[in-house]
Amino acid sequence: MRTPSALCGALATLALAITAQAGFVTRSGSQLQVDGTPFYFIGANAYWLQDAADSDVDTFFAYAQSYGLKVIRFWAFNHELPRGWGDYDETQFKHLDYIIRAASYKNIKLVLALGNTWKAYRSPEDMLRMAGVDPDQTDLLGMYRSDKFEEFYRAHITSVVTRVNSYTGVKYSDDNTVMMWDVLNEPRCPGCTGESEEADHMSWLSRMADHLKSQAPNQLVATGTEGYFSDENNVRYNPGAGASCEGDDWMAISNLGSVDVTTAHVYWRQMESIPPDWSQCDWECYFSFYKQYVDRHTSAAGSMGKPFVIEEMNVMASKFTPEQRAAFLQLAYDQLLYAKANNGPLMGVMFWTVAIGKVWDDGYTIYLDGVTLPSDQPPSGSPPSDTPPAPEIERGPVYVNEEGLDRFRRGDQRAACAEEASKTWLPAWTTNAVEAWSYMDRTKGKLVQQVIKETGEQL
């Protein structure tokens, strides 16, 4: 039995703990919460913020807030972040400081990825060189197995997460603006299907997640995984036979102890030819696949007791019409709204990419400025508005990133694995699970920006 003084002490300790967590996004079982309230959200990726002028950063977050985007994901690395072991360009670090502060002013949370599997901004090859390892003599698997690289990357995590913001004086790890850290963006190990290969990849992710959690105990940890299934019970729900060869065992990664939130990146470009006739998945087929794929992940996340966030998703403007894109986003958001209504584990959906102004279009970009929505118009019967329509904005060029799996990213090993997998793989998902045209009817006449704003208002 506790004495009154002991009870008071325990209550005081609890009060301090609650105060310390105030404003942070936290995990409670399979849900995310802020100050005890479930946190369901729509968000987007804006990797280009690292290159943006301060004034454009401010303008962007004002637009994001007006559309109801509660979370923005981008890179906590840059062209010179780092530029050597323990060496970071201070100007670029200060710009990251500025972005974090600007997001806080608009009450927008951030997901920050600490590294990349791809070449953009700071590649794994760059980081290997900084660690004293020649990337020409190794590959992704060798990177995960390298003691030198692990030591380097641990130091990198610490340097970024414990950075003190030059504008606010608050350490990143103590700033509730930062909702979550990704260990690495899309940490694949293509063709790593051998027992020792899988074990070494998984062990590296586990150790990095543990280290990250030790450096940022008040913030959420994720791995940035894309969501491919490798386990026997779920592999047939993949977008194709070769998906299990990406070295991205979603179930195993999601179950790592220090991983708070499980994630997926879902794109039409991931679709492979579908047996038995090896047909291509058109837009109606993709609507059905997407819903079943996300439902499968959502159910699994609920079973393992972890929140599920779709960190990246969208369809390319060159492959889908504007009407199909709006309908697809409505489908994705409907799953989130259903989860909210039923206290489900799907907590957030974030599209790739959101932008303003002259940011170049990577084929997926949705611009928030220069758009006049029906909600911006006066009610029917009102006097003519003196407000002119939104001016047309000159956009940047369209540049689609078509980076594939090269030698370093184990393209040959992945191809060999996929060829073998295609001999037996059949999809468990069907091509007619969703009446795609019903979504087209629902969003008829709507811009994709209108679908985003209407959903934001419901969350």
Side-chain angles (χ1 to χ4, degrees):
M1 181 176 179
R2 291 186 177 184
T3 64
S5 59
L7 181 60
C8 289
L11 291 173
T13 301
L14 177 62
L16 286 172
I18 294 172
T19 301
Q21 288 284 303
F24 282 90
V25 181
T26 58
R27 170 189 164 199
S28 177
S30 62
Q31 285 202 326
L32 298 179
Q33 296 183 346
V34 175
D35 298 333
T37 300
F39 184 66
Y40 290 89
F41 65 90
I42 58 171
N45 289 260
Y47 62 89
W48 54 270
L49 283 170
Q50 287 282 28
D51 293 326
D54 289 352
S55 58
D56 289 337
V57 170
D58 295 333
T59 301
F60 166 72
F61 280 118
Y63 271 107
Q65 183 188 51
S66 73
Y67 275 83
L69 298 176
K70 295 181 181 179
V71 181
I72 297 296
R73 178 175 179 263
F74 68 104
W75 310 145
F77 54 91
N78 204 344
H79 306 290
E80 300 292 327
L81 289 182
R83 60 189 177 191
W85 195 318
D87 184 15
Y88 295 79
D89 182 272
E90 184 60 19
T91 299
Q92 292 188 1
F93 238 151
K94 284 184 176 179
H95 186 58
L96 181 55
D97 295 343
Y98 189 93
I99 296 170
I100 294 173
R101 185 184 67 166
S104 72
Y105 285 165
K106 297 300 180 181
N107 198 30
I108 290 175
K109 303 296 185 182
L110 300 175
V111 175
L112 300 177
L114 288 157
N116 203 2
T117 303
W118 308 103
K119 293 181 179 179
Y121 288 82
R122 258 299 177 234
S123 69
E125 293 98 320
D126 293 333
M127 290 192 173
L128 276 167
R129 291 188 187 96
M130 295 175 202
V133 179
D134 183 358
D136 293 333
Q137 302 301 315
T138 190
D139 59 14
L140 273 177
L141 176 59
M143 181 186 82
Y144 296 128
R145 287 173 165 173
S146 169
D147 292 337
K148 285 185 177 179
F149 179 75
E150 178 164 338
E151 186 181 356
F152 167 86
Y153 205 72
R154 282 176 178 270
H156 169 64
I157 289 173
T158 300
S159 293
V160 175
V161 171
T162 62
R163 160 83 176 184
V164 175
N165 192 308
S166 59
Y167 291 95
T168 65
V170 178
K171 192 184 298 184
Y172 286 4
S173 59
D174 294 332
D175 192 334
N176 61 25
T177 305
V178 179
M179 161 182 154
M180 186 165 76
W181 300 94
D182 281 342
V183 169
L184 190 69
N185 177 53
E186 301 182 348
R188 298 186 192 182
C189 190
C192 295
T193 56
E195 186 175 339
S196 65
E197 295 172 338
E198 292 176 340
D200 289 345
H201 176 221
M202 196 65 57
S203 180
W204 185 86
L205 283 172
S206 180
R207 292 193 302 274
M208 293 305 100
D210 289 347
H211 178 64
L212 177 53
K213 194 65 181 176
S214 73
Q215 300 299 298
N218 291 325
Q219 293 159 332
L220 302 170
V221 169
T223 60
T225 183
E226 293 167 270
Y228 300 117
F229 292 119
S230 294
D231 63 292
E232 185 178 348
N233 292 331
N234 294 293
V235 70
R236 292 177 59 213
Y237 287 89
N238 275 335
S244 63
C245 301
E246 300 291 3
D248 182 55
D249 188 340
W250 184 81
M251 290 292 291
I253 294 172
S254 299
N255 273 303
L256 292 175
S258 290
V259 172
D260 297 301
V261 178
T262 185
T263 65
H265 301 178
V266 191
Y267 292 100
W268 175 82
R269 68 168 185 261
Q270 297 165 339
M271 302 302 297
E272 301 176 47
S273 298
I274 308 167
D277 58 355
W278 301 104
S279 60
Q280 296 296 312
C281 191
D282 62 14
W283 71 274
E284 292 180 81
C285 160
Y286 186 65
F287 275 43
S288 288
F289 163 78
Y290 179 90
K291 183 180 187 304
Q292 294 167 87
Y293 191 59
V294 171
D295 283 347
R296 193 72 178 182
H297 284 80
T298 302
S299 176
S303 296
M304 67 180 74
K306 291 193 177 183
F308 175 44
V309 171
I310 300 175
E311 283 190 323
E312 297 183 19
M313 53 75 69
N314 206 342
V315 291
M316 294 186 71
S318 62
K319 305 294 184 181
F320 288 69
T321 67
E323 293 78 13
Q324 290 167 350
R325 294 185 83 195
F328 172 70
L329 210 60
Q330 187 67 67
L331 166 66
Y333 287 163
D334 276 1
Q335 288 179 292
L336 178 63
L337 293 171
Y338 178 86
K340 180 186 177 184
N342 293 276
N343 298 312
L346 176 59
M347 302 302 300
V349 174
M350 307 175 73
F351 65 86
W352 183 283
T353 312
V354 65
I356 59 169
K358 294 185 179 181
V359 173
W360 61 276
D361 184 350
D362 64 2
Y364 294 93
T365 307
I366 296 173
Y367 294 96
L368 301 184
D369 57 342
V371 179
T372 301
L373 301 179
S375 58
D376 300 326
Q377 302 291 337
S380 176
S382 300
S385 172
D386 293 331
T387 305
E392 186 172 341
I393 296 175
E394 180 183 350
R395 302 298 187 188
V398 177
Y399 178 77
V400 178
N401 184 355
E402 297 181 344
E403 182 180 359
L405 297 180
D406 54 17
R407 181 207 63 80
F408 179 80
R409 289 163 185 80
R410 298 172 57 84
D412 289 346
Q413 292 91 332
R414 195 270 187 195
C417 172
E419 183 176 356
E420 188 64 26
S422 67
K423 296 176 182 179
T424 57
W425 185 85
L426 287 171
W429 50 272
T430 64
T431 60
N432 59 357
V434 171
E435 293 183 2
W437 283 101
S438 67
Y439 281 93
M440 292 282 283
D441 289 341
R442 279 182 59 193
T443 56
K444 185 176 181 179
K446 290 185 179 181
L447 298 172
V448 67
Q449 291 89 345
Q450 187 175 347
V451 175
I452 294 168
K453 192 165 188 177
E454 289 176 355
T455 305
E457 291 170 350
Q458 298 178 66
L459 292 169

